Amino acid sequence: MDDELNLGGRKFCSRFILGSGKYSLELVEAAVRHARSEIVTLSVRRANTKSSENIKNYIPEGVTLLPNTSGARDADEAVRIARLAKELIGGETTLIKIEIMRDSKYLLPDNYETVKATHILASEGFIVLPYMYPDLNVARDLVSAGAAAVMPLAAPIGSNRGLVTKDFIRILIDEIDLPVIVDAGIGRPSEACEAMEMGAAAIMANTALATAGDLPMMAEAFRYAIEAGRMAYLAGIGRVLSRGAESSDPLTGFLRG
Amino acid sequence: MKRIFYMENCRMMPHQSDERDDCMTYWPDMERIDSSVADYVLTMMEDYDCERYTAGDVENALAHSTASAKDLGALLSPAAAPFLEAMARKARELTSRHFGNSVALFTPLYIDNHCENSCRYCGFRGGSQIRRRRLLAEEIRQEMEIIAESGIEEILLLTGEVHTEEYLEYIGEACRAASKYFRMTGLEIFPVNTAGYRYLHERGADFVTVFQETYDIPRYGELHPAGHKRVWPYRFYAQERALMAGMRGAGFAALLGLSDFRRDALAVALHVAAVQKKYPAAELSLSCPRLRPVVGGSDIRAKRVEERDLCQILCAWRIFLPFVSITLSSRESAAFRDGMVRIAATKISAGVSTGIGDHAKKYGGGRTFTSCQAGDEQFEINDSRSFGDIYSALAKAGLQPVVNDYIHV
């Protein structure tokens, strides 16, 4: 059975999107290999360099770059960074992760500006993956604006605190007919697994790997957790009894006919 | 049409100051903005008694997931000294969470050392017997070329203080030249009005750093007897004016040792926190200069700030402001800088010369200006490693040097 992640027509076998901004560039290749990841994010502000330390040079062949608009404070800036990303990366890729933050302290996404940027960039042909705070109304607006997926945060970025917004992500999974990629805050493979069991389409992680004792090994652990969660979701998770065993004597046994 | 950067009346009647002037009174050419941040910072600083804190307060501060102003006070107090290792561990964890293992690199470029001020601790002060130089446009380009060749992509332009429209245009032209060689241009110049910052932003500058020197106002008045710099509140609100003018970010510092360093360290961190609250999108940074020997330096009753004290301050700042970039200058030794980038510092200078037109001589492979001698240095530097050496040291320590983390939009 083919179980591919479909992002605006681009298909991927891996459901693990790797961040790349918080660890040494030399480790990117090993992280990708152990994660078996097919998508690696790339901060345009970092890639916008003349130096040999350009992160583009460290991304293994065949891996799709997912540029993000980190540094954008409103829709207009995000749109300009996205267009620059297209120039920098070239080729046929038009994937873009929209990140718009008006707060340097918590780095929470600005949902309102994100909808505006999504609308503009989707109409320009980008495959738009917006990073968002999990709000159902906004997610619906993002669908209408032409997003190819939604990327709700699980917890404040960099916090490794896990599925803090679990209930709201579950609502998005239930209601939104686009891939829901859980982004930011996932700290452990077990949390990634849980999100995948819930029906998340993919997981994006960065800090969880960067702060691990052994980055490549943690990348591998995430890979297995994500695969296990996905399989469990596809298999259909059995019911959970809330209190003790269920009586085999049906309560409705008195009904006739 | 000539741009007006200062209020009309200032040019009609140049203000001459001396110590009789109150250092809290604005001059006519100085813009006032509506802000109460200074009241907050000064009140908190006045209330701060570093001897009041106990080991229990420090333990509580270290246990909290986010540090309050009270926690900051505890972490800066003498009671926290025995907890330095625990503070360093917490600081490192927070630095790693917010910045990963990235350390940004930049080079400062001093383009002029003429100055109208008389700061008693500064080698560039007006009247001091130093060689004065103002780089010509061609010399600025030459210096920039040499710095850019080293691999640096972020430049910080520094000047003395001269309040004329022509001088602001001179800085504006330097910004414009910088944008040809570098991805990011920051300024560490004298405070100007919002219109001035807007003009410099249009010329390519996007980050403004202003050192408040000290938040102890009587001491500030004593150390700054003349010049525009004498006016404490105008300087205090410089970062806010820069952000109002569209700059992406702003840097803050107190020159530790001028007054009680614990109170200054508290005040500058609270200043950053208050500005962040008011301008949440701004990218803010903290620097931690200590007094260093200067050419023609005089006895200013400086208070010694030991490396251990500075380490404690940086850890306290990181725990209180985990999202703020912390810059460590070449005033500090290579060993101290190498140690602190593993704990709290996220940005360091490289290939530094604080003299005017010195990069050609120091790093230019023998290229020098033929027009005249280089100007004297503002202070002695303690880490004169080249960009390449610092880059290698960081990589060897498992850190990721970052030459650009900026995009001009």
Side-chain angles (χ1 to χ4, degrees):
Chain A
M1 179 184 75
D2 285 343
D3 175 38
E4 291 172 322
L5 171 65
N6 186 335
L7 299 175
R10 300 276 305 268
K11 292 185 177 160
F12 303 91
C13 294
S14 166
R15 292 176 179 271
F16 186 9
I17 301 175
L18 266 185
S20 63
K22 286 187 170 175
Y23 49 92
S24 296
L25 296 173
E26 283 80 13
L27 287 170
V28 171
E29 191 272 331
V32 170
R33 189 156 32 85
H34 284 77
R36 297 233 180 123
S37 191
E38 294 170 310
I39 305 175
V40 175
T41 66
L42 165 130
S43 167
V44 177
R45 58 194 271 174
R46 284 269 178 98
N48 183 34
T49 174
K50 297 174 274 187
S51 107
S52 57
E53 288 310 323
N54 194 327
I55 191 169
K56 284 193 293 177
N57 304 332
Y58 291 82
I59 309 286
E61 193 80 11
V63 169
T64 297
L65 289 171
L66 173 56
N68 67 45
T69 64
S70 160
R73 293 165 293 187
D74 56 31
D76 181 51
E77 291 188 351
V79 167
R80 280 189 274 163
I81 294 172
R83 289 172 185 156
L84 183 62
K86 202 170 184 175
E87 280 174 37
L88 279 172
I89 292 166
E92 59 193 51
T93 184
T94 46
L95 280 169
I96 187 81
K97 180 185 173 199
I98 298 181
E99 290 184 12
I100 302 176
M101 287 122 174
R102 277 193 299 167
D103 186 290
S104 65
K105 186 173 182 180
Y106 300 104
L107 299 178
L108 289 172
D110 182 325
N111 280 352
Y112 175 71
E113 292 291 319
T114 300
V115 173
K116 285 205 288 186
T118 299
H119 182 75
I120 296 167
L121 291 171
S123 68
E124 290 182 13
F126 283 89
I127 297 172
V128 183
L129 312 179
Y131 172 53
M132 64 170 310
Y133 190 86
D135 178 298
L136 178 60
N137 295 310
V138 171
R140 285 179 174 142
D141 288 346
L142 288 168
V143 174
S144 305
V150 292
M151 300 184 75
L153 60 86
I157 196 164
S159 68
N160 283 353
R161 290 186 58 201
L163 284 168
V164 174
T165 61
K166 182 176 163 183
D167 290 347
F168 304 99
I169 289 178
R170 191 189 294 279
I171 290 170
L172 298 194
I173 290 170
D174 289 346
E175 301 299 328
I176 299 297
D177 295 330
L178 285 177
V180 175
I181 302 171
V182 177
D183 183 7
I186 296 281
R188 294 162 181 265
S190 56
E191 293 153 2
C193 185
E194 185 181 1
M196 294 303 292
E197 285 174 0
M198 281 163 51
I203 300 292
M204 149 118 204
N206 187 4
T207 309
L209 304 186
T211 56
D214 184 322
L215 191 153
M217 193 186 285
M218 186 57 83
E220 194 165 351
F222 263 89
R223 172 190 135 210
Y224 288 130
I226 290 165
E227 287 175 3
R230 180 66 184 172
M231 285 174 74
Y233 171 73
L234 292 175
I237 291 173
R239 59 189 182 151
V240 176
L241 300 177
S242 57
R243 199 180 289 168
E246 191 169 292
S247 164
S248 56
D249 246 356
L251 287 175
T252 53
F254 64 93
L255 297 173
R256 296 177 186 182
Chain B
M1 195 182 90
K2 211 161 177 59
R3 286 185 185 79
I4 305 298
F5 301 116
Y6 306 102
M7 290 176 192
E8 288 293 329
N9 53 358
C10 84
R11 291 184 294 120
M12 288 156 57
M13 188 177 293
H15 188 96
Q16 297 297 324
S17 79
D18 61 35
E19 285 179 273
R20 288 168 297 182
D21 283 347
D22 174 6
C23 70
M24 296 301 283
T25 303
Y26 283 77
W27 294 4
D29 58 329
M30 293 176 174
E31 178 187 358
R32 295 184 73 136
I33 61 167
D34 182 23
S35 179
S36 58
V37 172
D39 296 338
Y40 164 73
V41 171
L42 292 173
T43 304
M44 295 291 284
M45 190 183 73
E46 287 307 312
D47 289 347
Y48 182 57
D49 175 5
C50 69
E51 301 298 336
R52 185 178 69 195
Y53 294 91
T54 65
D57 293 326
V58 179
E59 283 170 342
N60 285 341
L62 286 170
H64 293 155
S65 57
T66 54
S68 64
K70 186 187 172 215
D71 292 334
L72 172 67
L75 295 170
L76 288 170
S77 76
F83 295 88
L84 191 55
E85 185 59 27
M87 285 175 67
R89 287 184 186 281
K90 176 144 186 166
R92 182 168 73 165
E93 195 264 319
L94 289 167
T95 304
S96 168
R97 189 189 297 176
H98 286 264
F99 297 88
N101 70 341
S102 302
V103 179
L105 297 172
F106 73 102
T107 292
L109 173 60
Y110 289 73
I111 58 173
D112 182 25
N113 62 4
H114 289 82
C115 193
E116 66 166 44
N117 297 317
S118 304
C119 315
R120 294 203 154 116
Y121 49 86
C122 179
F124 281 3
R125 68 178 176 275
S128 73
Q129 299 304 306
I130 62 164
R131 282 193 301 270
R132 301 278 174 189
R133 281 281 279 125
R134 177 173 301 166
L135 294 184
L136 304 171
E138 182 49 41
E139 294 170 334
I140 289 175
R141 275 194 290 278
Q142 190 178 350
E143 289 275 278
M144 287 177 174
E145 198 170 298
I146 289 162
I147 294 167
E149 279 171 11
S150 74
I152 282 284
E153 297 189 22
E154 177 173 341
I155 191 101
L156 177 68
L157 301 178
L158 298 96
T159 64
E161 183 150 358
V162 179
H163 283 267
T164 63
E165 287 191 16
E166 291 71 22
Y167 194 68
L168 205 65
E169 282 170 4
Y170 166 73
I171 298 171
E173 287 312 303
C175 291
R176 193 143 66 174
S179 62
K180 293 192 178 75
Y181 295 97
F182 305 99
R183 298 284 181 190
M184 163 73 176
T185 303
L187 293 173
E188 195 176 316
I189 63 163
F190 51 94
V192 298
N193 290 343
T194 309
Y197 283 127
R198 194 170 296 120
Y199 162 75
L200 294 170
H201 181 55
E202 286 163 5
R203 289 289 179 276
D206 218 359
F207 202 94
V208 168
T209 298
V210 178
F211 288 10
Q212 189 61 31
E213 317 300 12
T214 178
Y215 291 77
D216 172 349
I217 291 168
R219 180 73 170 142
Y220 185 92
E222 188 186 319
L223 292 167
H224 303 94
H228 279 70
K229 192 170 174 180
R230 179 156 175 76
V231 183
W232 188 92
Y234 183 64
R235 193 169 188 84
F236 181 92
Y237 286 118
Q239 288 94 345
E240 288 197 46
R241 293 194 301 276
L243 295 172
M244 287 163 63
M247 295 281 181
R248 170 173 286 268
F252 300 73
L255 183 46
L256 301 169
L258 287 180
S259 180
D260 180 334
F261 69 82
R262 295 181 202 277
R263 288 163 77 88
D264 271 335
L266 178 102
V268 70
L270 293 174
H271 190 180
V272 171
V275 169
Q276 195 281 330
K277 205 164 185 176
K278 202 168 165 188
Y279 306 86
E283 294 176 12
L284 305 180
S285 76
L286 267 166
S287 302
C288 53
R290 288 188 290 169
L291 275 176
R292 301 287 306 166
V294 298
V295 177
S298 59
D299 177 20
I300 52 147
R301 292 185 289 110
K303 294 173 177 64
R304 213 171 160 77
V305 183
E306 304 293 347
E307 279 194 350
R308 186 163 272 273
D309 299 322
L310 195 55
C311 177
Q312 183 184 340
I313 290 167
L314 262 58
C315 291
W317 284 352
R318 172 57 67 224
I319 294 167
F320 181 60
L321 299 165
F323 56 94
V324 161
S325 168
I326 296 180
T327 306
L328 204 47
S329 83
S330 58
R331 294 170 190 240
E332 301 304 332
S333 68
F336 186 76
R337 299 214 298 170
D338 287 350
M340 287 312 302
V341 289
R342 295 175 59 229
I343 300 172
T346 50
K347 192 169 190 176
I348 57 174
S349 50
V352 177
S353 167
T354 64
I356 312 300
D358 246 5
H359 282 92
K361 191 173 72 187
K362 283 192 179 173
Y363 305 103
R367 276 176 282 177
T368 51
F369 299 130
T370 51
S371 54
C372 60
Q373 268 186 305
D376 273 338
E377 302 204 1
Q378 189 185 24
F379 55 85
E380 291 171 19
I381 59 175
N382 222 346
D383 181 359
S384 54
R385 286 178 295 174
S386 68
F387 167 74
D389 290 344
I390 287 182
Y391 193 100
S392 307
L394 289 173
K396 207 171 155 190
L399 297 165
Q400 179 59 56
V402 172
V403 294
N404 181 53
D405 191 15
Y406 172 76
I407 190 161
H408 189 78
V409 282

